[in-house]
Amino acid sequence: MFLVVGAEGQLGQVFAKHLGDKAVYCTVSDCNITNLAEVKATFSKYKPEVVINCAAYTNVDKAEAEDREICFKVNVDGVKNLAIACNEIDALLIHISTDYIFDGQKTFPYTEDDKTGAINEYGKSKEEAEKVFDELVNKGAIFRASYLYSEFGNNIVKLFKKLLTEREAINTVTDQKVTMTNADRLVEAVIAFIESGAKKEIYNLSSSNELSFYDLAIEMQNILASKCQINPIEYKDYPSKIARPKYSVLDSSKAARELKVELQTWQEGISECLKNL
Ligand SMILES: NC(=O)c1ccc[n+]([C@@H]2O[C@H](COP(=O)([O-])OP(=O)(O)OC[C@H]3O[C@@H](n4cnc5c(N)ncnc54)[C@H](OP(=O)(O)O)[C@@H]3O)[C@@H](O)[C@H]2O)c1
Protein backbone atom coordinates (compact mmCIF):
# COMPACT_ATOMS: atom_id res chain seq x y z
CA MET A 1 0.00 0.00 0.00
CA PHE A 2 1.26 3.48 -0.96
CA LEU A 3 0.33 6.65 0.89
CA VAL A 4 0.67 10.04 -0.83
CA VAL A 5 0.82 13.18 1.33
CA GLY A 6 0.23 16.59 -0.26
CA ALA A 7 -2.10 14.80 -2.66
CA GLU A 8 -3.91 17.93 -3.87
CA GLY A 9 -0.77 19.56 -5.30
CA GLN A 10 0.53 19.24 -8.85
CA LEU A 11 2.70 16.15 -8.29
CA GLY A 12 0.17 14.51 -5.96
CA GLN A 13 -2.34 14.56 -8.80
CA VAL A 14 0.16 13.04 -11.22
CA PHE A 15 0.81 10.20 -8.75
CA ALA A 16 -2.96 9.65 -8.52
CA LYS A 17 -3.13 9.41 -12.33
CA HIS A 18 -0.48 6.67 -12.32
CA LEU A 19 -1.21 4.79 -9.09
CA GLY A 20 -5.03 4.98 -8.98
CA ASP A 21 -6.41 2.75 -6.23
CA LYS A 22 -2.98 1.34 -5.32
CA ALA A 23 -2.54 4.36 -3.04
CA VAL A 24 -4.30 6.29 -0.30
CA TYR A 25 -4.25 10.05 -0.91
CA CYS A 26 -4.05 12.56 1.96
CA THR A 27 -4.50 16.29 1.53
CA VAL A 28 -3.26 18.83 4.06
CA SER A 29 -6.59 18.64 5.89
CA ASP A 30 -6.32 14.82 6.17
CA CYS A 31 -2.66 14.81 7.22
CA ASN A 32 -0.74 17.99 7.99
CA ILE A 33 2.89 16.90 7.87
CA THR A 34 3.95 19.58 10.36
CA ASN A 35 1.94 17.75 13.04
CA LEU A 36 3.82 14.61 14.15
CA ALA A 37 0.86 13.16 16.07
CA GLU A 38 -1.35 13.53 13.01
CA VAL A 39 1.28 11.89 10.76
CA LYS A 40 1.69 8.97 13.19
CA ALA A 41 -2.10 8.53 13.48
CA THR A 42 -2.45 8.52 9.66
CA PHE A 43 0.31 5.94 9.29
CA SER A 44 -1.10 3.70 11.98
CA LYS A 45 -4.52 3.85 10.29
CA TYR A 46 -3.29 2.94 6.78
CA LYS A 47 -0.02 1.09 7.55
CA PRO A 48 1.66 2.09 4.25
CA GLU A 49 4.74 0.28 2.97
CA VAL A 50 5.69 3.34 0.93
CA VAL A 51 5.05 7.00 1.77
CA ILE A 52 5.37 9.51 -1.09
CA ASN A 53 5.93 13.09 0.05
CA CYS A 54 4.32 15.49 -2.44
CA ALA A 55 3.66 18.01 0.33
CA ALA A 56 5.75 21.15 0.30
CA TYR A 57 5.71 24.90 0.64
CA THR A 58 6.54 25.98 -2.94
CA ASN A 59 5.97 29.74 -3.23
CA VAL A 60 9.57 30.85 -3.84
CA ASP A 61 8.80 34.59 -3.69
CA LYS A 62 6.81 34.54 -0.44
CA ALA A 63 9.28 32.12 1.17
CA GLU A 64 11.88 34.86 0.92
CA ALA A 65 10.01 37.19 3.27
CA GLU A 66 6.65 36.88 4.99
CA ASP A 67 6.30 33.09 4.70
CA ARG A 68 9.88 32.06 5.56
CA GLU A 69 8.83 30.45 8.83
CA ILE A 70 5.98 28.40 7.39
CA CYS A 71 8.21 27.40 4.45
CA PHE A 72 10.83 25.89 6.81
CA LYS A 73 8.12 24.34 9.01
CA VAL A 74 6.57 22.45 6.09
CA ASN A 75 9.72 21.69 4.09
CA VAL A 76 12.06 20.79 6.96
CA ASP A 77 10.00 19.89 10.06
CA GLY A 78 7.47 18.12 7.83
CA VAL A 79 10.17 15.86 6.37
CA LYS A 80 11.53 15.19 9.88
CA ASN A 81 8.06 14.07 11.01
CA LEU A 82 7.60 11.83 7.97
CA ALA A 83 11.04 10.27 8.53
CA ILE A 84 10.33 9.53 12.22
CA ALA A 85 6.91 8.06 11.47
CA CYS A 86 8.20 6.01 8.50
CA ASN A 87 11.00 4.52 10.59
CA GLU A 88 8.49 3.44 13.27
CA ILE A 89 6.52 1.35 10.77
CA ASP A 90 9.53 0.42 8.57
CA ALA A 91 8.05 2.25 5.56
CA LEU A 92 10.05 3.54 2.60
CA LEU A 93 9.99 7.34 2.19
CA ILE A 94 10.08 9.03 -1.21
CA HIS A 95 10.93 12.72 -0.99
CA ILE A 96 11.10 15.33 -3.76
CA SER A 97 13.83 17.96 -3.85
CA THR A 98 14.90 20.63 -6.31
CA ASP A 99 17.72 22.12 -8.40
CA TYR A 100 17.37 25.23 -6.16
CA ILE A 101 19.61 23.51 -3.57
CA PHE A 102 22.54 24.52 -5.81
CA ASP A 103 24.20 27.94 -6.07
CA GLY A 104 24.31 27.99 -9.87
CA GLN A 105 28.04 28.69 -10.10
CA LYS A 106 28.88 25.54 -12.08
CA THR A 107 29.17 25.55 -15.85
CA PHE A 108 28.50 21.87 -16.47
CA PRO A 109 25.68 19.63 -15.16
CA TYR A 110 25.19 19.00 -11.44
CA THR A 111 25.40 15.37 -10.34
CA GLU A 112 24.09 13.83 -7.13
CA ASP A 113 27.60 14.17 -5.62
CA ASP A 114 27.97 17.91 -6.10
CA LYS A 115 28.15 20.24 -3.14
CA THR A 116 24.90 22.06 -2.38
CA GLY A 117 24.62 25.75 -1.45
CA ALA A 118 21.18 27.25 -1.91
CA ILE A 119 20.92 30.98 -2.57
CA ASN A 120 17.29 31.67 -1.65
CA GLU A 121 15.13 30.74 1.36
CA TYR A 122 12.99 28.16 -0.46
CA GLY A 123 16.19 26.50 -1.73
CA LYS A 124 17.72 26.61 1.76
CA SER A 125 14.64 24.91 3.24
CA LYS A 126 14.86 22.13 0.63
CA GLU A 127 18.62 21.81 1.19
CA GLU A 128 18.04 21.42 4.93
CA ALA A 129 15.35 18.83 4.23
CA GLU A 130 17.90 16.78 2.28
CA LYS A 131 20.18 16.84 5.35
CA VAL A 132 17.29 15.72 7.57
CA PHE A 133 16.52 12.93 5.11
CA ASP A 134 20.17 11.86 5.06
CA GLU A 135 20.40 11.81 8.86
CA LEU A 136 17.05 10.25 9.76
CA VAL A 137 15.65 8.12 6.96
CA ASN A 138 16.34 4.38 7.05
CA LYS A 139 14.81 3.44 3.68
CA GLY A 140 13.91 5.69 0.78
CA ALA A 141 14.99 8.05 -1.94
CA ILE A 142 15.25 11.72 -2.76
CA PHE A 143 14.34 12.66 -6.32
CA ARG A 144 15.53 16.11 -7.39
CA ALA A 145 13.25 17.76 -9.93
CA SER A 146 13.61 21.05 -11.78
CA TYR A 147 10.82 23.22 -13.20
CA LEU A 148 8.32 20.41 -12.74
CA TYR A 149 5.40 20.43 -15.17
CA SER A 150 2.28 18.45 -15.99
CA GLU A 151 -1.36 19.07 -16.92
CA PHE A 152 -2.12 19.70 -13.21
CA GLY A 153 -1.62 22.61 -10.81
CA ASN A 154 0.52 25.66 -11.40
CA ASN A 155 3.68 25.20 -13.43
CA ILE A 156 5.97 26.87 -15.94
CA VAL A 157 4.46 25.28 -19.07
CA LYS A 158 0.98 26.51 -18.11
CA LEU A 159 2.41 29.94 -17.25
CA PHE A 160 4.18 30.28 -20.62
CA LYS A 161 1.08 29.06 -22.46
CA LYS A 162 -0.95 31.78 -20.75
CA LEU A 163 1.64 34.48 -21.47
CA LEU A 164 2.07 33.45 -25.10
CA THR A 165 -1.66 33.45 -25.74
CA GLU A 166 -2.60 36.57 -23.75
CA ARG A 167 0.34 38.98 -24.10
CA GLU A 168 1.51 40.90 -27.13
CA ALA A 169 5.16 40.72 -26.04
CA ILE A 170 7.23 39.06 -23.32
CA ASN A 171 10.85 39.32 -22.16
CA THR A 172 12.63 36.01 -21.60
CA VAL A 173 16.11 35.23 -20.35
CA THR A 174 18.67 33.68 -22.71
CA ASP A 175 21.61 32.99 -20.41
CA GLN A 176 20.01 31.21 -17.41
CA LYS A 177 20.38 27.49 -18.13
CA VAL A 178 18.12 24.84 -16.62
CA THR A 179 16.59 21.43 -17.23
CA MET A 180 12.88 20.64 -16.84
CA THR A 181 11.11 17.68 -15.25
CA ASN A 182 8.08 16.09 -16.87
CA ALA A 183 6.11 14.90 -13.80
CA ASP A 184 4.95 11.73 -15.60
CA ARG A 185 8.60 10.68 -16.11
CA LEU A 186 9.37 11.50 -12.45
CA VAL A 187 6.55 9.25 -11.26
CA GLU A 188 7.77 6.42 -13.50
CA ALA A 189 11.28 6.78 -12.06
CA VAL A 190 9.92 6.71 -8.49
CA ILE A 191 7.98 3.51 -9.24
CA ALA A 192 11.12 1.98 -10.80
CA PHE A 193 13.08 2.82 -7.63
CA ILE A 194 10.43 1.24 -5.39
CA GLU A 195 10.42 -1.92 -7.53
CA SER A 196 14.25 -2.05 -7.62
CA GLY A 197 14.48 -2.95 -3.93
CA ALA A 198 17.28 -0.40 -3.45
CA LYS A 199 17.63 0.85 0.11
CA LYS A 200 18.59 4.52 0.17
CA GLU A 201 19.47 6.67 -2.83
CA ILE A 202 19.39 10.14 -4.30
CA TYR A 203 18.58 10.82 -7.95
CA ASN A 204 18.39 13.81 -10.25
CA LEU A 205 15.43 13.42 -12.62
CA SER A 206 15.10 15.95 -15.38
CA SER A 207 15.29 16.41 -19.14
CA SER A 208 18.26 14.98 -21.04
CA ASN A 209 19.19 18.41 -22.43
CA GLU A 210 19.36 21.98 -21.13
CA LEU A 211 17.48 25.11 -22.14
CA SER A 212 16.94 28.76 -21.37
CA PHE A 213 13.49 30.28 -20.87
CA TYR A 214 13.99 32.03 -24.19
CA ASP A 215 14.37 28.57 -25.81
CA LEU A 216 11.19 27.45 -24.05
CA ALA A 217 9.23 30.47 -25.24
CA ILE A 218 10.33 30.02 -28.87
CA GLU A 219 9.53 26.26 -28.84
CA MET A 220 6.11 26.83 -27.30
CA GLN A 221 5.40 29.75 -29.63
CA ASN A 222 5.90 27.42 -32.60
CA ILE A 223 3.69 24.67 -31.17
CA LEU A 224 0.93 27.11 -30.15
CA ALA A 225 1.26 29.26 -33.29
CA SER A 226 1.38 32.27 -30.98
CA LYS A 227 1.87 35.78 -32.38
CA CYS A 228 3.43 37.03 -29.14
CA GLN A 229 6.70 38.90 -29.62
CA ILE A 230 9.51 37.24 -27.65
CA ASN A 231 12.28 39.61 -26.58
CA PRO A 232 15.59 38.06 -25.48
CA ILE A 233 17.10 39.58 -22.34
CA GLU A 234 20.01 38.70 -20.08
CA TYR A 235 19.73 37.17 -16.60
CA LYS A 236 21.26 40.32 -15.07
CA ASP A 237 18.48 42.44 -16.58
CA TYR A 238 15.56 40.28 -15.40
CA PRO A 239 13.66 42.21 -12.72
CA SER A 240 13.54 39.81 -9.74
CA LYS A 241 14.19 40.42 -6.06
CA ILE A 242 14.86 36.73 -5.49
CA ALA A 243 18.19 35.12 -6.33
CA ARG A 244 17.78 32.09 -8.54
CA PRO A 245 20.64 29.84 -9.70
CA LYS A 246 21.94 31.07 -13.06
CA TYR A 247 22.96 27.54 -14.00
CA SER A 248 21.09 24.59 -12.45
CA VAL A 249 21.29 21.93 -15.14
CA LEU A 250 20.81 18.49 -13.58
CA ASP A 251 22.68 15.44 -14.82
CA SER A 252 20.12 12.61 -14.64
CA SER A 253 22.36 9.86 -16.01
CA LYS A 254 22.43 7.98 -12.67
CA ALA A 255 18.63 7.51 -12.80
CA ALA A 256 18.80 6.50 -16.47
CA ARG A 257 21.51 3.93 -15.71
CA GLU A 258 20.26 2.48 -12.42
CA LEU A 259 16.50 2.76 -12.82
CA LYS A 260 16.48 2.12 -16.58
CA VAL A 261 14.31 5.16 -17.18
CA GLU A 262 14.47 6.70 -20.62
CA LEU A 263 15.27 10.40 -20.34
CA GLN A 264 13.31 12.73 -22.61
CA THR A 265 14.48 15.91 -24.25
CA TRP A 266 12.64 18.94 -22.89
CA GLN A 267 11.17 19.47 -26.39
CA GLU A 268 9.60 15.97 -26.31
CA GLY A 269 8.29 16.56 -22.80
CA ILE A 270 6.73 19.95 -23.61
CA SER A 271 5.05 18.63 -26.72
CA GLU A 272 3.60 15.69 -24.73
CA CYS A 273 2.36 18.00 -21.97
CA LEU A 274 0.73 20.53 -24.31
CA LYS A 275 -1.32 17.72 -25.88
CA ASN A 276 -2.76 16.96 -22.42
CA LEU A 277 -3.67 20.56 -21.59
N1 LIG B 1 6.87 23.00 -9.10
C1 LIG B 1 8.15 22.99 -9.45
O1 LIG B 1 8.56 23.66 -10.42
C2 LIG B 1 9.15 22.15 -8.68
C3 LIG B 1 10.47 22.10 -9.12
C4 LIG B 1 11.38 21.30 -8.42
C5 LIG B 1 10.96 20.60 -7.31
N2 LIG B 1 9.67 20.68 -6.88
C6 LIG B 1 9.27 19.92 -5.70
O2 LIG B 1 8.31 18.96 -6.12
C7 LIG B 1 7.39 18.70 -5.05
C8 LIG B 1 5.96 18.81 -5.57
O3 LIG B 1 5.76 20.14 -6.07
P1 LIG B 1 4.36 20.61 -6.66
O4 LIG B 1 4.63 21.42 -7.87
O5 LIG B 1 3.43 19.44 -6.74
O6 LIG B 1 3.90 21.61 -5.49
P2 LIG B 1 2.42 22.14 -5.14
O7 LIG B 1 1.56 22.05 -6.34
O8 LIG B 1 2.62 23.45 -4.47
O9 LIG B 1 1.88 21.06 -4.09
C9 LIG B 1 2.28 21.01 -2.75
C10 LIG B 1 1.12 20.49 -1.94
O10 LIG B 1 1.54 20.37 -0.57
C11 LIG B 1 0.46 20.81 0.22
N3 LIG B 1 0.91 21.19 1.56
C12 LIG B 1 1.42 22.38 1.97
N4 LIG B 1 1.69 22.35 3.29
C13 LIG B 1 1.33 21.10 3.72
C14 LIG B 1 1.36 20.46 4.98
N5 LIG B 1 1.79 21.09 6.08
N6 LIG B 1 0.93 19.17 5.07
C15 LIG B 1 0.48 18.52 3.97
N7 LIG B 1 0.41 19.08 2.75
C16 LIG B 1 0.84 20.35 2.63
C17 LIG B 1 -0.12 21.97 -0.55
O11 LIG B 1 -1.42 22.27 -0.07
P3 LIG B 1 -1.94 23.80 -0.17
O12 LIG B 1 -1.88 24.18 -1.62
O13 LIG B 1 -3.32 23.71 0.40
O14 LIG B 1 -0.99 24.62 0.65
C18 LIG B 1 -0.11 21.42 -1.96
O15 LIG B 1 -1.29 20.66 -2.19
C19 LIG B 1 7.76 19.67 -3.93
O16 LIG B 1 8.57 18.99 -3.00
C20 LIG B 1 8.56 20.74 -4.63
O17 LIG B 1 9.48 21.36 -3.76
C21 LIG B 1 8.74 21.43 -7.55
Side-chain angles (χ1 to χ4, degrees):
M1 163 69 76
F2 294 15
L3 189 147
V4 178
V5 290
E8 252 175 351
Q10 173 184 202
L11 186 59
Q13 294 181 68
V14 181
F15 269 103
K17 183 174 95 175
H18 287 256
L19 294 176
D21 59 10
K22 289 196 193 99
V24 169
Y25 301 93
C26 295
T27 67
V28 63
S29 47
D30 306 318
C31 179
N32 184 330
I33 65 166
T34 65
N35 182 330
L36 180 59
E38 208 169 295
V39 172
K40 284 187 179 183
T42 306
F43 288 12
S44 81
K45 181 174 173 191
Y46 296 111
K47 302 185 176 40
E49 284 145 1
V50 178
V51 172
I52 300 172
N53 179 23
C54 295
Y57 179 95
T58 57
N59 187 322
V60 179
D61 291 345
K62 285 192 176 167
E64 204 65 17
E66 70 263 35
D67 282 357
R68 186 186 179 279
E69 204 176 315
I70 181 71
C71 170
F72 275 77
K73 204 166 168 26
V74 176
N75 292 353
V76 183
D77 297 352
V79 175
K80 198 179 288 178
N81 292 340
L82 292 173
I84 292 167
C86 276
N87 288 346
E88 278 186 9
I89 59 164
D90 197 31
L92 187 99
L93 178 61
I94 302 294
H95 174 65
I96 314 299
S97 191
T98 167
D99 56 320
Y100 275 32
I101 57 165
F102 294 117
D103 65 10
Q105 293 301 310
K106 264 188 96 176
T107 51
F108 55 98
Y110 283 96
T111 71
E112 290 79 359
D113 299 327
D114 276 313
K115 195 169 165 292
T116 62
I119 56 172
N120 60 40
E121 295 302 318
Y122 165 76
K124 285 176 190 168
S125 74
K126 300 293 286 187
E127 185 183 10
E128 209 169 312
E130 287 204 5
K131 286 187 190 134
V132 164
F133 187 100
D134 185 44
E135 282 162 19
L136 294 185
V137 169
N138 291 339
K139 294 193 316 193
I142 294 176
F143 281 82
R144 290 180 183 149
S146 177
Y147 295 95
L148 187 70
Y149 63 92
S150 67
E151 66 267 44
F152 303 108
N154 294 321
N155 61 64
I156 190 147
V157 173
K158 284 186 166 183
L159 173 68
F160 269 57
K161 183 176 182 201
K162 187 172 159 59
L163 295 175
L164 288 165
T165 47
E166 291 179 6
R167 295 264 185 98
E168 282 184 11
I170 57 171
N171 294 337
T172 53
V173 175
T174 53
D175 58 344
Q176 180 188 2
K177 299 291 179 183
V178 302
T179 44
M180 291 178 70
T181 302
N182 179 341
D184 286 313
R185 301 288 91 74
L186 173 60
V187 169
E188 286 162 12
V190 167
I191 293 170
F193 169 78
I194 294 166
E195 289 173 350
S196 76
K199 194 160 181 225
K200 192 169 170 184
E201 288 294 342
I202 178 157
Y203 294 104
N204 294 340
L205 206 287
S206 212
S207 52
S208 58
N209 55 347
E210 66 182 49
L211 70 151
S212 69
F213 293 117
Y214 179 75
D215 298 329
L216 178 64
I218 296 289
E219 179 78 11
M220 286 184 62
Q221 182 187 47
N222 289 334
I223 298 174
L224 299 167
S226 151
K227 300 266 184 297
C228 178
Q229 182 182 315
I230 299 167
N231 302 317
I233 60 165
E234 286 184 34
Y235 173 86
K236 66 176 174 46
D237 298 325
Y238 187 77
S240 171
K241 289 190 197 127
I242 316 293
R244 287 179 165 79
K246 188 173 178 195
Y247 181 92
S248 64
V249 172
L250 296 179
D251 175 342
S252 303
S253 55
K254 178 183 172 190
R257 200 172 53 246
E258 293 185 4
L259 302 176
K260 312 274 180 280
V261 291
E262 205 174 314
L263 301 178
Q264 256 181 335
T265 63
W266 63 267
Q267 292 94 334
E268 289 165 340
I270 298 303
S271 153
E272 184 182 298
C273 179
L274 286 173
K275 281 182 199 139
N276 293 332
L277 283 183

